[in-house]
């Protein structure tokens, strides 16, 4: 059973998609993921002009955002990388794999922390620390996904993260010996833990394009994305300041049982430019054992970034990455026991019928209360689930 908070996310985001295909999870190789070349970033197309001091987000007051640049003007887009920042990344996804018609949904929670930061502008860098917090998948096929998650769920990984989103050096791995020294744990040395988000070092305008190559862990293996990024939109919001919409599309490869799985990956990133923070990343990719294969695995993902900040009671509170509160979820429409009981003015006049209706309402109210208590107890009992 999925916990209440993950069930809500799944109902909101999971939808059927794509053609059925063989599961990459079931075809993964017994060998460790192959080593890949260090990621490279090519100069963006149409973004060769250097940024001016006035254009630099690091020198501007985020509380006093400037006007949005016209199409012919350039602006710098980069990660702010503030010391001590803690992110919660919630991933909602579904996978249609094998010959199954119904996709399998899952929810993951991860924690990203920044420390030991130095430098300014595009030269700024921090140590990014990643750990898994929780993972749940819909039965019965979600068992494959949960097994893939458990083999690395207790590992803590870290690497240097640049303001461009690029990983500097290798990824270090710490945690239980059986996980850290396994082939799955060792494969994390190639992984970028900031979702392969990538920006050029130059100031750019709408329509600018640049390439990047990056590795991430998905489906139990380290995949490779060789993509072309594009800045699609720059727009001003009265509350959040300058916002950017970026997209990417390119080749996706991952280790398979006998040959590499190949496919196409595409995504859309919503980014708060003035704050220097990612907000939401949507991604989808398809894979097959070869280009002629009629069996295709289709995966859709939504990554939501949140900042964890101290609340009034000392406990962490999740805020949007631009510092604004998340909108509150609307209350569920449920009839109360009072609503289910006929009012005095609505009595039927039949004492037996009215007594029966009142008794049913009371029983219904008790059942709801008892069920809620059981659900709450179950959630608390399962609080230390996968990803721990």
């Amino acid at each position: 059973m999925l916990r209440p908070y993950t069930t809500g996310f799944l109902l909101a985001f999971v939808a059927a998609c794509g053609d059925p295909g063989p599961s990459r999870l079931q075809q993964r190789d017994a060998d460790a993921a192959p080593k890949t070349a260090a990621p490279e970033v090519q100069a963006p197309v149409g973004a060769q002009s250097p940024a001016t001091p006035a254009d630099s987000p690091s020198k501007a007051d985020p509380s006093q955002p400037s006007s949005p640049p016209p199409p012919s003007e350039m602006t710098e887009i980069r990660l702010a990388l503030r010391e001590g920042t803690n992110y919660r990344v919630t991933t909602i996804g579904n996978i249609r794999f094998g010959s199954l018609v119904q996709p399998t949904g899952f929810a993951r929670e991860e924690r990203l922390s920044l420390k030991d930061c130095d430098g300014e502008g595009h030269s700024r860098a921090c140590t990014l620390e990643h750990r898994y917090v929780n993972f749940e998948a819909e039965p019965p096929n979600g068992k494959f996904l949960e097994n893939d998650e458990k083999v690395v769920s207790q590992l803590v990984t870290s690497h240097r993260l640049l303001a461009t989103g690029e990983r500097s050096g290798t990824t270090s791995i710490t945690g239980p010996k059986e996980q850290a020294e396994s082939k799955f744990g060792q494969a994390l040395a190639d992984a970028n833990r900031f979702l392969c988000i990538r920006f050029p070092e130059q100031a750019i305008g709408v329509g600018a394009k640049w390439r990047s190559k990056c590795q991430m862990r998905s489906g139990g293996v380290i995949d490779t994305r060789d993509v072309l990024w594009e800045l699609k939109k720059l727009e001003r919001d009265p509350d959040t300041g300058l916002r950017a919409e970026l997209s990417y599309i390119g080749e996706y490869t991952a280790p398979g049982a006998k040959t590499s799985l190949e496919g196409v990956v595409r995504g859309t990133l919503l980014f708060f430019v003035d704050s220097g923070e990612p907000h939401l990343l949507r991604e989808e990719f398809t894979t097959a054992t070869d280009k002629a294969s009629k069996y295709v695995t289709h995966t859709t993902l939504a990554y939501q970034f949140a900042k964890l900040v101290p609340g009034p009671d000392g406990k962490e509170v999740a805020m949007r990455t631009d510092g604004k509160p998340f909108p509150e979820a609307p209350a569920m429409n449920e009839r109360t026991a009072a609503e289910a009981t006929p009012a005095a003015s609505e009595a039927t006049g039949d004492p037996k019928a009215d007594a029966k209706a009142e008794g049913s309402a009371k029983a219904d109210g008790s059942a709801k209360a008892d069920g809620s208590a059981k659900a709450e107890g179950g959630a608390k009992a399962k609080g230390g689930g996968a990803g721990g």
Side-chain angles (χ1 to χ4, degrees):
M1 294 292 293
L2 293 177
R3 300 187 182 88
Y5 75 91
T6 51
T7 303
F9 281 129
L10 289 171
L11 290 175
F13 287 94
V14 175
C17 58
D19 296 325
S23 170
R24 172 163 47 79
L25 308 178
Q26 299 168 347
Q27 299 178 9
R28 65 188 178 200
D29 198 352
D31 297 328
K35 298 292 182 181
T36 55
E40 297 180 356
V41 179
Q42 296 185 7
V45 177
Q48 303 301 321
S49 300
T52 64
D55 295 330
S56 175
S58 65
K59 298 183 179 180
D61 182 356
S63 65
Q64 300 293 331
S66 58
S67 300
S72 59
E73 194 171 340
M74 304 292 188
T75 188
E76 290 186 346
I77 303 179
R78 60 171 179 259
L79 299 173
L81 300 183
R82 296 179 176 87
E83 178 76 31
T85 298
N86 293 309
Y87 297 103
R88 183 189 69 192
V89 180
T90 304
T91 305
I92 302 298
N94 71 48
I95 305 177
R96 187 192 293 269
F97 58 90
S99 58
L100 301 176
V101 176
Q102 182 66 31
T104 297
F106 68 88
R108 176 191 292 115
E109 182 180 342
E110 301 163 88
R111 184 184 179 103
L112 301 175
S113 301
L114 299 177
K115 60 181 181 179
D116 302 329
C117 301
D118 55 49
E120 298 292 337
H122 283 105
S123 299
R124 187 165 177 79
C126 297
T127 296
L128 172 73
E129 185 178 86
H130 169 280
R131 63 182 69 235
Y132 293 102
V133 177
N134 212 337
F135 183 87
E136 294 182 35
E138 291 180 323
N141 301 306
K143 190 67 176 178
F144 296 107
L145 304 177
E146 290 182 350
N147 289 340
D148 282 322
E149 199 82 3
K150 286 179 180 179
V151 297
V152 296
S153 63
Q154 299 180 59
L155 296 179
V156 177
T157 54
S158 62
H159 62 72
R160 294 293 285 178
L161 178 69
L162 305 182
T164 60
E166 187 175 2
R167 181 191 66 160
S168 177
T170 59
T171 301
S172 65
I173 307 157
T174 59
K177 184 177 180 180
E178 63 274 15
Q179 290 193 9
E181 295 184 356
S182 70
K183 64 179 181 180
F184 304 107
Q186 290 297 303
L188 291 175
D190 291 325
N192 181 307
R193 287 313 211 170
F194 210 72
L195 304 180
C196 285
I197 293 173
R198 190 65 55 79
F199 305 116
E201 293 186 2
Q202 300 92 335
I204 57 175
V206 173
K209 298 179 181 181
W210 61 99
R211 301 193 68 89
S212 73
K213 191 173 184 180
C214 185
Q215 290 77 43
M216 279 179 57
R217 186 181 195 271
S218 60
V221 296
I222 303 300
D223 60 37
T224 301
R225 298 116 182 278
D226 188 353
V227 301
L228 178 68
W229 284 83
E230 181 178 358
L231 177 57
K232 304 290 288 188
K233 293 180 182 178
L234 281 173
E235 57 185 6
R236 172 67 57 193
D237 183 273
D239 295 324
T240 61
L242 187 59
R243 302 186 304 181
E245 178 181 322
L246 307 99
S247 68
Y248 58 87
I249 185 171
E251 297 179 353
Y252 178 98
T253 58
K258 296 182 179 179
T259 60
S260 295
L261 301 178
E262 300 179 351
V264 175
V265 60
R266 68 179 71 232
T268 300
L269 172 66
L270 303 181
F271 191 82
F272 295 124
V273 179
D274 289 340
S275 301
E277 302 280 9
H279 174 52
L280 180 67
L281 175 65
R282 299 187 182 94
E283 182 178 72
E284 64 175 321
F285 55 87
T286 56
T287 58
T289 53
D290 58 72
K291 294 181 179 180
S293 176
K294 62 180 179 180
Y295 295 104
V296 177
T297 297
H298 191 172
T299 302
T300 61
L301 302 164
Y303 304 91
Q304 175 70 69
F305 283 79
K307 270 188 176 180
L308 299 175
V309 300
D313 57 358
K315 296 182 180 179
E316 288 184 327
V317 176
M319 304 286 289
R320 289 194 340 183
T321 52
D322 64 343
K324 308 293 183 182
F326 281 105
E328 294 184 5
M332 299 294 290
N333 293 323
E334 288 190 3
R335 297 180 65 195
T336 64
E339 291 173 333
T341 306
S345 60
E346 299 174 348
T348 62
D350 184 346
K352 292 184 179 179
D354 294 341
K356 183 177 181 181
E358 182 178 359
S360 298
K362 290 181 177 179
D364 181 60
S366 299
K368 287 182 179 179
D370 182 61
S372 298
K374 288 182 179 179
E376 182 179 359
K380 289 180 178 179
K382 298 199 299 181

